Amino acid sequence: MSFETDWQMISERSGDAMFFEKVMKKAKTEAERDGIFLEPAQELGLASHVAAMIRRGREGEMFTIEDKALFDEVSLDSLYLATRICGMVSGIHEDEKYLLSIHFETAKLN
């Protein structure tokens, strides 16, 4: 499949394509402002996570991370960026930021 086809499928899975596009635009803009540039595969991974986050928020599905020490090596910059993006999505648990931060931390290694 192509990037565009994958993107469209991910967008539709969010249940709110317009909001999904808004969150992704903000995530990419904020990441680039912080010097983080996503490769296409990383962008699709982030998009998939954001779509799932939107769906979880809408459906009230929450999860928590039992051992936050697993994320000790994630930079505060990536964690703060993830916190800002998660703040756009209502109804999600604050622990979502830890999982989202991994996308930004990984992209920093490019």
Side-chain angles (χ1 to χ4, degrees):
M1 282 195 241
S2 70
F3 179 89
E4 291 78 19
T5 302
D6 290 342
W7 185 272
Q8 184 64 36
M9 286 183 354
I10 292 168
S11 175
E12 290 170 6
R13 276 192 303 225
S14 75
D16 187 342
M18 288 180 57
F19 183 59
F20 166 81
E21 292 291 340
K22 180 180 176 181
V23 174
M24 282 303 299
K25 181 177 181 181
K26 173 90 170 172
K28 286 179 57 179
T29 300
E30 294 277 320
E32 289 174 4
R33 191 188 76 209
D34 290 354
I36 301 170
F37 300 92
L38 299 156
E39 294 178 2
Q42 292 171 323
E43 189 173 344
L44 287 175
L46 176 63
S48 183
H49 187 131
V50 167
M53 228 170 47
I54 292 168
R55 182 191 52 76
R56 282 193 288 275
R58 187 180 64 250
E59 295 176 1
E61 177 187 330
M62 293 196 194
F63 65 89
T64 59
I65 296 172
E66 298 298 322
D67 187 3
K68 291 176 184 67
L70 295 170
F71 299 89
D72 282 350
E73 294 185 28
V74 173
S75 69
L76 290 178
D77 291 337
S78 292
L79 191 56
Y80 181 62
L81 175 55
T83 300
R84 294 192 316 261
I85 302 308
C86 286
M88 296 179 70
V89 181
S90 61
I92 59 172
H93 193 277
E94 70 174 277
D95 285 358
E96 191 83 46
K97 67 186 176 193
Y98 292 102
L99 295 177
L100 193 64
S101 71
I102 297 299
H103 294 280
F104 301 120
E105 194 68 18
T106 301
K108 288 169 76 173
L109 301 175
N110 291 345

